[in-house]
Short mmCIF file of all heavy atoms in Angstrom, two decimals:
data_model
loop_
_atom_site.label_atom_id
_atom_site.label_comp_id
_atom_site.label_asym_id
_atom_site.label_seq_id
_atom_site.Cartn_x
_atom_site.Cartn_y
_atom_site.Cartn_z
N MET A 1 114.07 143.91 152.08
CA MET A 1 114.84 144.33 150.93
C MET A 1 114.31 143.61 149.68
O MET A 1 114.03 142.43 149.71
CB MET A 1 116.31 143.99 151.15
CG MET A 1 117.20 144.46 150.07
SD MET A 1 118.91 144.27 150.62
CE MET A 1 119.72 144.90 149.21
N ILE A 2 114.22 144.33 148.61
CA ILE A 2 113.69 143.79 147.36
C ILE A 2 114.85 143.45 146.43
O ILE A 2 115.79 144.24 146.28
CB ILE A 2 112.76 144.82 146.68
CG1 ILE A 2 111.56 145.08 147.56
CG2 ILE A 2 112.34 144.33 145.31
CD1 ILE A 2 110.67 146.19 147.06
N THR A 3 114.78 142.29 145.82
CA THR A 3 115.78 141.88 144.85
C THR A 3 115.19 142.04 143.45
O THR A 3 114.11 141.55 143.16
CB THR A 3 116.19 140.41 145.07
OG1 THR A 3 116.67 140.28 146.41
CG2 THR A 3 117.25 140.00 144.09
N ILE A 4 115.91 142.74 142.60
CA ILE A 4 115.49 142.93 141.21
C ILE A 4 116.34 142.00 140.35
O ILE A 4 117.56 141.95 140.48
CB ILE A 4 115.69 144.38 140.76
CG1 ILE A 4 114.95 145.36 141.66
CG2 ILE A 4 115.28 144.56 139.31
CD1 ILE A 4 113.45 145.27 141.60
N THR A 5 115.67 141.27 139.47
CA THR A 5 116.34 140.35 138.57
C THR A 5 116.08 140.78 137.13
O THR A 5 114.95 141.12 136.79
CB THR A 5 115.81 138.92 138.77
OG1 THR A 5 115.97 138.57 140.15
CG2 THR A 5 116.56 137.92 137.92
N CYS A 6 117.11 140.76 136.32
CA CYS A 6 116.96 141.10 134.91
C CYS A 6 116.13 140.01 134.23
O CYS A 6 116.43 138.82 134.38
CB CYS A 6 118.33 141.22 134.25
SG CYS A 6 118.26 141.55 132.48
N ASP A 7 115.10 140.40 133.51
CA ASP A 7 114.24 139.43 132.85
C ASP A 7 114.88 138.82 131.60
O ASP A 7 114.42 137.80 131.11
CB ASP A 7 112.90 140.07 132.48
CG ASP A 7 112.06 140.37 133.71
OD1 ASP A 7 112.02 139.51 134.61
OD2 ASP A 7 111.45 141.45 133.78
N ALA A 8 115.94 139.44 131.10
CA ALA A 8 116.60 138.91 129.90
C ALA A 8 117.70 137.91 130.26
O ALA A 8 117.69 136.78 129.82
CB ALA A 8 117.17 140.05 129.06
N CYS A 9 118.66 138.34 131.10
CA CYS A 9 119.79 137.47 131.43
C CYS A 9 119.61 136.70 132.73
O CYS A 9 120.42 135.86 133.07
CB CYS A 9 121.09 138.28 131.46
SG CYS A 9 121.18 139.50 132.79
N LYS A 10 118.53 137.01 133.47
CA LYS A 10 118.17 136.32 134.72
C LYS A 10 119.18 136.51 135.85
O LYS A 10 119.21 135.75 136.79
CB LYS A 10 117.97 134.81 134.48
CG LYS A 10 117.05 134.46 133.33
CD LYS A 10 115.66 134.97 133.54
CE LYS A 10 114.75 134.46 132.42
NZ LYS A 10 113.85 135.43 131.91
N LYS A 11 120.00 137.56 135.77
CA LYS A 11 120.96 137.85 136.83
C LYS A 11 120.36 138.86 137.80
O LYS A 11 119.62 139.75 137.41
CB LYS A 11 122.24 138.44 136.24
CG LYS A 11 123.02 137.46 135.40
CD LYS A 11 124.27 138.10 134.87
CE LYS A 11 125.04 137.15 133.96
NZ LYS A 11 126.18 137.82 133.33
N ALA A 12 120.71 138.71 139.07
CA ALA A 12 120.28 139.68 140.08
C ALA A 12 121.04 140.98 139.88
O ALA A 12 122.22 140.98 139.51
CB ALA A 12 120.54 139.13 141.47
N ILE A 13 120.36 142.09 140.11
CA ILE A 13 120.96 143.41 139.95
C ILE A 13 121.28 143.94 141.35
O ILE A 13 120.36 144.27 142.10
CB ILE A 13 120.02 144.36 139.20
CG1 ILE A 13 119.67 143.77 137.83
CG2 ILE A 13 120.63 145.74 139.06
CD1 ILE A 13 118.52 144.45 137.13
N PRO A 14 122.56 143.99 141.71
CA PRO A 14 122.92 144.43 143.06
C PRO A 14 122.67 145.93 143.25
O PRO A 14 122.90 146.72 142.34
CB PRO A 14 124.41 144.10 143.17
CG PRO A 14 124.90 144.07 141.77
CD PRO A 14 123.73 143.64 140.93
N ASP A 15 122.18 146.31 144.41
CA ASP A 15 121.91 147.71 144.74
C ASP A 15 121.09 148.38 143.63
O ASP A 15 121.44 149.46 143.14
CB ASP A 15 123.20 148.50 144.97
CG ASP A 15 124.03 147.92 146.10
OD1 ASP A 15 123.42 147.48 147.10
OD2 ASP A 15 125.26 147.88 145.98
N ALA A 16 120.00 147.74 143.25
CA ALA A 16 119.19 148.21 142.12
C ALA A 16 118.58 149.58 142.38
O ALA A 16 117.95 149.80 143.41
CB ALA A 16 118.09 147.20 141.83
N VAL A 17 118.81 150.47 141.43
CA VAL A 17 118.22 151.81 141.45
C VAL A 17 117.63 152.02 140.06
O VAL A 17 118.36 152.02 139.07
CB VAL A 17 119.27 152.90 141.76
CG1 VAL A 17 118.63 154.28 141.70
CG2 VAL A 17 119.93 152.66 143.10
N ARG A 18 116.32 152.22 140.03
CA ARG A 18 115.62 152.37 138.75
C ARG A 18 116.17 153.56 137.97
O ARG A 18 116.46 154.61 138.53
CB ARG A 18 114.14 152.57 139.02
CG ARG A 18 113.29 152.51 137.79
CD ARG A 18 111.85 152.65 138.16
NE ARG A 18 111.04 152.05 137.11
CZ ARG A 18 109.77 151.78 137.22
NH1 ARG A 18 109.14 152.04 138.33
NH2 ARG A 18 109.12 151.25 136.23
N GLU A 19 116.35 153.37 136.68
CA GLU A 19 116.88 154.36 135.74
C GLU A 19 118.36 154.67 135.96
O GLU A 19 118.90 155.55 135.32
CB GLU A 19 116.08 155.67 135.77
CG GLU A 19 114.60 155.50 135.44
CD GLU A 19 114.35 154.96 134.05
OE1 GLU A 19 115.06 155.33 133.10
OE2 GLU A 19 113.40 154.15 133.91
N LYS A 20 119.00 153.94 136.87
CA LYS A 20 120.44 154.12 137.07
C LYS A 20 121.18 152.85 136.66
O LYS A 20 122.09 152.90 135.85
CB LYS A 20 120.75 154.48 138.51
CG LYS A 20 122.18 154.81 138.74
CD LYS A 20 122.43 155.35 140.13
CE LYS A 20 123.89 155.72 140.28
NZ LYS A 20 124.17 156.23 141.61
N ASN A 21 120.80 151.71 137.24
CA ASN A 21 121.44 150.46 136.86
C ASN A 21 120.45 149.37 136.45
O ASN A 21 120.83 148.25 136.18
CB ASN A 21 122.40 149.96 137.94
CG ASN A 21 121.71 149.69 139.26
OD1 ASN A 21 120.53 149.94 139.42
ND2 ASN A 21 122.47 149.16 140.20
N TYR A 22 119.17 149.72 136.41
CA TYR A 22 118.19 148.84 135.78
C TYR A 22 117.06 149.70 135.21
O TYR A 22 116.82 150.81 135.66
CB TYR A 22 117.67 147.76 136.74
CG TYR A 22 116.49 148.13 137.60
CD1 TYR A 22 115.19 147.83 137.19
CD2 TYR A 22 116.67 148.77 138.82
CE1 TYR A 22 114.10 148.16 137.99
CE2 TYR A 22 115.59 149.10 139.61
CZ TYR A 22 114.31 148.80 139.20
OH TYR A 22 113.24 149.13 139.99
N PHE A 23 116.43 149.19 134.17
CA PHE A 23 115.42 149.94 133.44
C PHE A 23 114.19 149.07 133.21
O PHE A 23 114.32 147.85 133.11
CB PHE A 23 115.99 150.41 132.09
CG PHE A 23 117.21 151.26 132.26
CD1 PHE A 23 118.46 150.70 132.42
CD2 PHE A 23 117.09 152.64 132.31
CE1 PHE A 23 119.58 151.49 132.61
CE2 PHE A 23 118.20 153.44 132.50
CZ PHE A 23 119.45 152.86 132.65
N VAL A 24 113.04 149.68 133.13
CA VAL A 24 111.79 148.94 132.95
C VAL A 24 111.21 149.30 131.59
O VAL A 24 111.01 150.47 131.27
CB VAL A 24 110.78 149.28 134.06
CG1 VAL A 24 109.48 148.53 133.86
CG2 VAL A 24 111.37 148.97 135.43
N PHE A 25 110.98 148.26 130.79
CA PHE A 25 110.34 148.39 129.48
C PHE A 25 109.18 147.41 129.45
O PHE A 25 109.39 146.21 129.63
CB PHE A 25 111.30 148.04 128.33
CG PHE A 25 112.43 149.00 128.16
CD1 PHE A 25 113.67 148.73 128.71
CD2 PHE A 25 112.27 150.18 127.45
CE1 PHE A 25 114.73 149.60 128.54
CE2 PHE A 25 113.31 151.06 127.29
CZ PHE A 25 114.55 150.77 127.83
N LEU A 26 107.98 147.88 129.25
CA LEU A 26 106.80 147.02 129.14
C LEU A 26 106.73 146.01 130.28
O LEU A 26 106.56 144.82 130.08
CB LEU A 26 106.80 146.30 127.79
CG LEU A 26 106.81 147.19 126.55
CD1 LEU A 26 106.96 146.34 125.30
CD2 LEU A 26 105.56 148.03 126.49
N ASP A 27 106.91 146.48 131.50
CA ASP A 27 106.86 145.67 132.72
C ASP A 27 107.95 144.61 132.80
O ASP A 27 107.81 143.62 133.50
CB ASP A 27 105.49 145.01 132.91
CG ASP A 27 104.41 146.03 133.18
OD1 ASP A 27 104.71 147.08 133.79
OD2 ASP A 27 103.26 145.78 132.79
N LYS A 28 109.03 144.80 132.08
CA LYS A 28 110.17 143.88 132.15
C LYS A 28 111.38 144.67 132.66
O LYS A 28 111.65 145.77 132.20
CB LYS A 28 110.47 143.29 130.79
CG LYS A 28 109.27 142.58 130.18
CD LYS A 28 109.67 141.28 129.57
CE LYS A 28 108.59 140.59 128.81
NZ LYS A 28 107.45 140.16 129.54
N ASN A 29 112.09 144.10 133.61
CA ASN A 29 113.28 144.74 134.17
C ASN A 29 114.50 144.31 133.37
O ASN A 29 114.70 143.12 133.12
CB ASN A 29 113.48 144.33 135.63
CG ASN A 29 112.32 144.73 136.49
OD1 ASN A 29 111.80 145.83 136.37
ND2 ASN A 29 111.89 143.84 137.37
N LEU A 30 115.33 145.28 132.98
CA LEU A 30 116.55 144.99 132.24
C LEU A 30 117.74 145.64 132.92
O LEU A 30 117.67 146.81 133.32
CB LEU A 30 116.47 145.53 130.81
CG LEU A 30 115.44 144.92 129.88
CD1 LEU A 30 115.51 145.59 128.52
CD2 LEU A 30 115.64 143.43 129.74
N CYS A 31 118.83 144.88 133.02
CA CYS A 31 120.06 145.46 133.54
C CYS A 31 120.67 146.35 132.45
O CYS A 31 120.21 146.34 131.30
CB CYS A 31 121.04 144.35 133.95
SG CYS A 31 121.56 143.26 132.62
N LEU A 32 121.68 147.10 132.79
CA LEU A 32 122.28 148.05 131.85
C LEU A 32 122.81 147.37 130.58
O LEU A 32 122.51 147.83 129.48
CB LEU A 32 123.37 148.85 132.56
CG LEU A 32 124.00 149.99 131.77
CD1 LEU A 32 122.94 151.00 131.34
CD2 LEU A 32 125.05 150.68 132.61
N PRO A 33 123.57 146.26 130.69
CA PRO A 33 124.06 145.61 129.46
C PRO A 33 122.92 145.09 128.56
O PRO A 33 122.99 145.22 127.33
CB PRO A 33 124.91 144.45 129.96
CG PRO A 33 125.30 144.83 131.34
CD PRO A 33 124.16 145.63 131.88
N CYS A 34 121.87 144.56 129.15
CA CYS A 34 120.74 144.05 128.35
C CYS A 34 119.96 145.20 127.72
O CYS A 34 119.48 145.08 126.60
CB CYS A 34 119.83 143.18 129.20
SG CYS A 34 120.59 141.60 129.66
N ARG A 35 119.86 146.31 128.42
CA ARG A 35 119.20 147.50 127.86
C ARG A 35 119.98 147.99 126.63
O ARG A 35 119.39 148.31 125.61
CB ARG A 35 119.12 148.60 128.89
CG ARG A 35 118.60 149.90 128.31
CD ARG A 35 118.69 151.02 129.33
NE ARG A 35 118.50 152.28 128.67
CZ ARG A 35 119.39 153.25 128.64
NH1 ARG A 35 120.55 153.10 129.23
NH2 ARG A 35 119.13 154.38 128.02
N GLU A 36 121.29 148.02 126.75
CA GLU A 36 122.12 148.46 125.62
C GLU A 36 121.98 147.51 124.45
O GLU A 36 121.90 147.94 123.29
CB GLU A 36 123.58 148.59 126.06
CG GLU A 36 123.80 149.75 127.00
CD GLU A 36 125.20 149.80 127.58
OE1 GLU A 36 126.02 148.89 127.31
OE2 GLU A 36 125.48 150.75 128.33
N GLU A 37 121.92 146.21 124.73
CA GLU A 37 121.73 145.22 123.68
C GLU A 37 120.38 145.42 122.99
O GLU A 37 120.29 145.39 121.75
CB GLU A 37 121.81 143.82 124.26
CG GLU A 37 121.61 142.72 123.24
CD GLU A 37 121.58 141.33 123.87
OE1 GLU A 37 122.07 141.16 125.01
OE2 GLU A 37 121.04 140.42 123.22
N LEU A 38 119.34 145.67 123.77
CA LEU A 38 118.01 145.92 123.22
C LEU A 38 118.03 147.14 122.32
O LEU A 38 117.55 147.10 121.18
CB LEU A 38 117.00 146.11 124.35
CG LEU A 38 115.59 146.55 123.93
CD1 LEU A 38 114.89 145.44 123.15
CD2 LEU A 38 114.77 146.95 125.15
N GLU A 39 118.58 148.24 122.80
CA GLU A 39 118.62 149.48 122.02
C GLU A 39 119.44 149.32 120.75
O GLU A 39 119.06 149.83 119.70
CB GLU A 39 119.16 150.62 122.87
CG GLU A 39 118.18 151.06 123.94
CD GLU A 39 118.74 152.16 124.82
OE1 GLU A 39 119.95 152.45 124.76
OE2 GLU A 39 117.94 152.74 125.57
N ASN A 40 120.57 148.62 120.83
CA ASN A 40 121.40 148.41 119.65
C ASN A 40 120.69 147.56 118.61
O ASN A 40 120.73 147.85 117.41
CB ASN A 40 122.74 147.78 120.02
CG ASN A 40 123.64 148.73 120.77
OD1 ASN A 40 123.50 149.95 120.68
ND2 ASN A 40 124.57 148.18 121.51
N THR A 41 120.05 146.51 119.04
CA THR A 41 119.32 145.62 118.13
C THR A 41 118.20 146.36 117.43
O THR A 41 118.05 146.28 116.20
CB THR A 41 118.76 144.40 118.89
OG1 THR A 41 119.83 143.73 119.55
CG2 THR A 41 118.06 143.45 117.95
N VAL A 42 117.41 147.10 118.18
CA VAL A 42 116.29 147.84 117.61
C VAL A 42 116.81 148.93 116.67
O VAL A 42 116.28 149.13 115.59
CB VAL A 42 115.39 148.42 118.72
CG1 VAL A 42 114.34 149.35 118.14
CG2 VAL A 42 114.72 147.30 119.49
N SER A 43 117.87 149.60 117.07
CA SER A 43 118.44 150.66 116.25
C SER A 43 118.95 150.12 114.91
O SER A 43 118.73 150.73 113.86
CB SER A 43 119.59 151.33 117.01
OG SER A 43 120.20 152.31 116.23
N GLU A 44 119.63 148.98 114.95
CA GLU A 44 120.13 148.37 113.71
C GLU A 44 118.99 148.00 112.77
O GLU A 44 119.06 148.25 111.56
CB GLU A 44 120.95 147.12 114.03
CG GLU A 44 122.30 147.40 114.63
CD GLU A 44 123.00 146.14 115.08
OE1 GLU A 44 122.58 145.02 114.70
OE2 GLU A 44 123.99 146.28 115.82
N GLU A 45 117.93 147.43 113.32
CA GLU A 45 116.78 147.04 112.49
C GLU A 45 116.06 148.26 111.93
O GLU A 45 115.63 148.26 110.78
CB GLU A 45 115.81 146.16 113.28
CG GLU A 45 116.33 144.79 113.57
CD GLU A 45 116.62 143.98 112.32
OE1 GLU A 45 115.79 143.97 111.39
OE2 GLU A 45 117.69 143.36 112.27
N MET A 46 115.93 149.31 112.74
CA MET A 46 115.24 150.51 112.27
C MET A 46 116.05 151.24 111.20
O MET A 46 115.49 151.85 110.30
CB MET A 46 114.95 151.46 113.43
CG MET A 46 113.83 151.00 114.34
SD MET A 46 112.24 150.70 113.51
CE MET A 46 111.80 152.36 113.01
N SER A 47 117.37 151.15 111.26
CA SER A 47 118.20 151.82 110.26
C SER A 47 118.08 151.17 108.89
O SER A 47 118.36 151.80 107.87
CB SER A 47 119.66 151.86 110.71
OG SER A 47 120.21 150.56 110.71
N LYS A 48 117.63 149.93 108.84
CA LYS A 48 117.45 149.23 107.58
C LYS A 48 116.18 149.67 106.86
O LYS A 48 116.04 149.47 105.67
CB LYS A 48 117.38 147.71 107.81
CG LYS A 48 118.67 147.12 108.32
CD LYS A 48 118.50 145.65 108.61
CE LYS A 48 119.76 145.07 109.24
NZ LYS A 48 119.57 143.67 109.62
N LYS A 49 115.28 150.29 107.59
CA LYS A 49 114.01 150.72 107.01
C LYS A 49 114.21 152.04 106.27
O LYS A 49 115.02 152.87 106.65
CB LYS A 49 112.95 150.86 108.08
CG LYS A 49 112.69 149.54 108.81
CD LYS A 49 111.42 149.59 109.59
CE LYS A 49 111.18 148.30 110.34
NZ LYS A 49 110.86 147.18 109.52
N SER A 50 113.45 152.23 105.20
CA SER A 50 113.61 153.44 104.40
C SER A 50 113.06 154.68 105.10
O SER A 50 113.49 155.79 104.84
CB SER A 50 112.90 153.26 103.05
OG SER A 50 111.51 153.05 103.26
N GLN A 51 112.11 154.48 106.00
CA GLN A 51 111.47 155.61 106.66
C GLN A 51 111.20 155.24 108.12
O GLN A 51 110.71 154.16 108.42
CB GLN A 51 110.15 155.92 105.95
CG GLN A 51 109.41 157.10 106.49
CD GLN A 51 108.15 157.37 105.67
OE1 GLN A 51 108.00 156.86 104.58
NE2 GLN A 51 107.26 158.16 106.21
N TYR A 52 111.54 156.17 109.02
CA TYR A 52 111.30 155.94 110.45
C TYR A 52 109.84 156.23 110.76
O TYR A 52 109.31 157.27 110.40
CB TYR A 52 112.19 156.85 111.29
CG TYR A 52 111.94 156.71 112.78
CD1 TYR A 52 112.65 155.76 113.51
CD2 TYR A 52 111.00 157.48 113.44
CE1 TYR A 52 112.42 155.61 114.87
CE2 TYR A 52 110.77 157.33 114.79
CZ TYR A 52 111.48 156.40 115.50
OH TYR A 52 111.26 156.25 116.84
N GLN A 53 109.21 155.28 111.45
CA GLN A 53 107.84 155.47 111.92
C GLN A 53 107.78 155.00 113.36
O GLN A 53 108.23 153.89 113.69
CB GLN A 53 106.84 154.69 111.07
CG GLN A 53 106.73 155.20 109.66
CD GLN A 53 105.72 154.40 108.85
OE1 GLN A 53 105.39 153.27 109.20
NE2 GLN A 53 105.27 154.99 107.76
N LEU A 54 107.22 155.84 114.22
CA LEU A 54 107.15 155.52 115.64
C LEU A 54 106.39 154.22 115.89
O LEU A 54 106.78 153.41 116.73
CB LEU A 54 106.50 156.68 116.42
CG LEU A 54 106.43 156.51 117.92
CD1 LEU A 54 107.81 156.35 118.52
CD2 LEU A 54 105.70 157.69 118.55
N LYS A 55 105.34 154.00 115.14
CA LYS A 55 104.54 152.78 115.29
C LYS A 55 105.39 151.54 115.02
O LYS A 55 105.33 150.56 115.77
CB LYS A 55 103.35 152.83 114.32
CG LYS A 55 102.43 151.66 114.40
CD LYS A 55 101.28 151.83 113.42
CE LYS A 55 100.37 150.63 113.41
NZ LYS A 55 99.28 150.77 112.46
N GLU A 56 106.20 151.59 113.98
CA GLU A 56 107.10 150.46 113.65
C GLU A 56 108.16 150.28 114.73
O GLU A 56 108.51 149.16 115.08
CB GLU A 56 107.76 150.69 112.29
CG GLU A 56 106.83 150.49 111.13
CD GLU A 56 106.35 149.06 111.02
OE1 GLU A 56 107.16 148.12 111.18
OE2 GLU A 56 105.15 148.87 110.76
N TYR A 57 108.68 151.40 115.26
CA TYR A 57 109.69 151.34 116.31
C TYR A 57 109.13 150.65 117.55
O TYR A 57 109.76 149.76 118.11
CB TYR A 57 110.18 152.75 116.66
CG TYR A 57 111.12 152.77 117.83
CD1 TYR A 57 112.47 152.47 117.66
CD2 TYR A 57 110.67 153.08 119.11
CE1 TYR A 57 113.34 152.48 118.73
CE2 TYR A 57 111.54 153.09 120.19
CZ TYR A 57 112.86 152.79 120.00
OH TYR A 57 113.72 152.78 121.06
N LYS A 58 107.95 151.06 117.97
CA LYS A 58 107.33 150.47 119.17
C LYS A 58 107.05 148.99 118.97
O LYS A 58 107.24 148.18 119.87
CB LYS A 58 106.05 151.21 119.52
CG LYS A 58 106.28 152.58 120.09
CD LYS A 58 104.97 153.25 120.45
CE LYS A 58 105.19 154.59 121.10
NZ LYS A 58 103.92 155.22 121.50
N LYS A 59 106.58 148.63 117.79
CA LYS A 59 106.29 147.22 117.48
C LYS A 59 107.58 146.40 117.53
O LYS A 59 107.63 145.33 118.14
CB LYS A 59 105.64 147.13 116.10
CG LYS A 59 105.29 145.74 115.66
CD LYS A 59 104.65 145.76 114.29
CE LYS A 59 104.43 144.37 113.76
NZ LYS A 59 103.90 144.38 112.39
N LEU A 60 108.64 146.91 116.91
CA LEU A 60 109.92 146.21 116.90
C LEU A 60 110.52 146.12 118.30
O LEU A 60 111.07 145.09 118.68
CB LEU A 60 110.88 146.92 115.94
CG LEU A 60 112.24 146.27 115.75
CD1 LEU A 60 112.10 144.86 115.17
CD2 LEU A 60 113.11 147.12 114.83
N LEU A 61 110.38 147.18 119.08
CA LEU A 61 110.88 147.18 120.45
C LEU A 61 110.19 146.10 121.27
O LEU A 61 110.84 145.32 121.97
CB LEU A 61 110.68 148.55 121.09
CG LEU A 61 111.14 148.69 122.53
CD1 LEU A 61 112.67 148.72 122.58
CD2 LEU A 61 110.58 149.94 123.16
N ALA A 62 108.87 146.02 121.17
CA ALA A 62 108.11 145.01 121.92
C ALA A 62 108.48 143.59 121.47
O ALA A 62 108.68 142.71 122.31
CB ALA A 62 106.62 145.24 121.74
N GLN A 63 108.62 143.37 120.17
CA GLN A 63 108.99 142.04 119.66
C GLN A 63 110.37 141.64 120.14
O GLN A 63 110.58 140.50 120.58
CB GLN A 63 108.94 142.03 118.13
CG GLN A 63 107.57 142.08 117.55
CD GLN A 63 107.59 142.22 116.03
OE1 GLN A 63 108.62 142.56 115.43
NE2 GLN A 63 106.45 141.96 115.40
N THR A 64 111.32 142.56 120.05
CA THR A 64 112.70 142.26 120.46
C THR A 64 112.78 142.00 121.95
O THR A 64 113.45 141.07 122.40
CB THR A 64 113.64 143.42 120.06
OG1 THR A 64 113.49 143.69 118.66
CG2 THR A 64 115.08 143.08 120.36
N LEU A 65 112.08 142.80 122.73
CA LEU A 65 112.06 142.63 124.18
C LEU A 65 111.46 141.28 124.56
O LEU A 65 112.02 140.56 125.40
CB LEU A 65 111.27 143.77 124.83
CG LEU A 65 111.21 143.78 126.34
CD1 LEU A 65 112.60 143.91 126.94
CD2 LEU A 65 110.32 144.91 126.82
N ASN A 66 110.37 140.92 123.95
CA ASN A 66 109.74 139.62 124.25
C ASN A 66 110.64 138.46 123.84
O ASN A 66 110.69 137.44 124.52
CB ASN A 66 108.38 139.52 123.57
CG ASN A 66 107.35 140.40 124.24
OD1 ASN A 66 107.41 140.64 125.43
ND2 ASN A 66 106.39 140.88 123.47
N LYS A 67 111.37 138.63 122.76
CA LYS A 67 112.30 137.59 122.31
C LYS A 67 113.46 137.45 123.31
O LYS A 67 113.88 136.34 123.64
CB LYS A 67 112.84 137.94 120.92
CG LYS A 67 113.50 136.79 120.21
CD LYS A 67 114.00 137.18 118.83
CE LYS A 67 112.85 137.55 117.93
NZ LYS A 67 113.28 137.86 116.56
N MET A 68 113.97 138.58 123.79
CA MET A 68 115.09 138.56 124.74
C MET A 68 114.66 137.95 126.07
O MET A 68 115.45 137.24 126.71
CB MET A 68 115.60 139.98 125.00
CG MET A 68 116.41 140.57 123.88
SD MET A 68 116.90 142.28 124.23
CE MET A 68 118.01 142.06 125.62
N CYS A 69 113.45 138.23 126.50
CA CYS A 69 112.99 137.80 127.82
C CYS A 69 112.21 136.48 127.79
O CYS A 69 111.74 136.02 128.81
CB CYS A 69 112.10 138.89 128.44
SG CYS A 69 113.00 140.41 128.73
N GLY A 70 112.08 135.90 126.62
CA GLY A 70 111.29 134.68 126.47
C GLY A 70 111.96 133.44 126.84
O GLY A 70 112.85 133.11 127.43
#
């Protein structure tokens, strides 16, 4: 049996099912609450920008994810 651990909060994810109760971003596993936190943080920062650009979104997503999992 494989145990999946959230890379942000370091908690084990019981009965882990990918895309159901844990998600993978840039080779990092996130539980549902941490995924929501990541999306909310990135969304708030992107809304402050005058223009949406996918390149900026991806850069911000990677920076935020590395900060959460660091």
Side-chain angles (χ1 to χ4, degrees):
M1 184 169 181
I2 297 173
T3 303
I4 304 293
T5 304
C6 177
D7 290 318
C9 66
K10 309 299 186 222
K11 293 180 183 174
I13 302 167
D15 301 322
V17 177
R18 190 177 204 167
E19 302 298 322
K20 186 172 182 180
N21 61 355
Y22 87 95
F23 301 85
V24 179
F25 293 98
L26 301 174
D27 293 329
K28 304 223 187 296
N29 300 317
L30 295 179
C31 62
L32 186 58
C34 290
R35 174 187 166 240
E36 290 173 356
E37 180 185 340
L38 173 67
E39 289 178 348
N40 289 338
T41 303
V42 172
S43 177
E44 287 174 13
E45 289 299 315
M46 286 304 293
S47 68
K48 294 176 185 176
K49 300 195 181 290
S50 62
Q51 182 177 345
Y52 178 89
Q53 293 180 340
L54 183 60
K55 182 179 176 181
E56 286 296 317
Y57 174 81
K58 288 181 176 182
K59 180 180 174 184
L60 183 61
L61 179 73
Q63 288 174 344
T64 306
L65 183 61
N66 287 330
K67 195 179 296 183
M68 285 177 66
C69 296

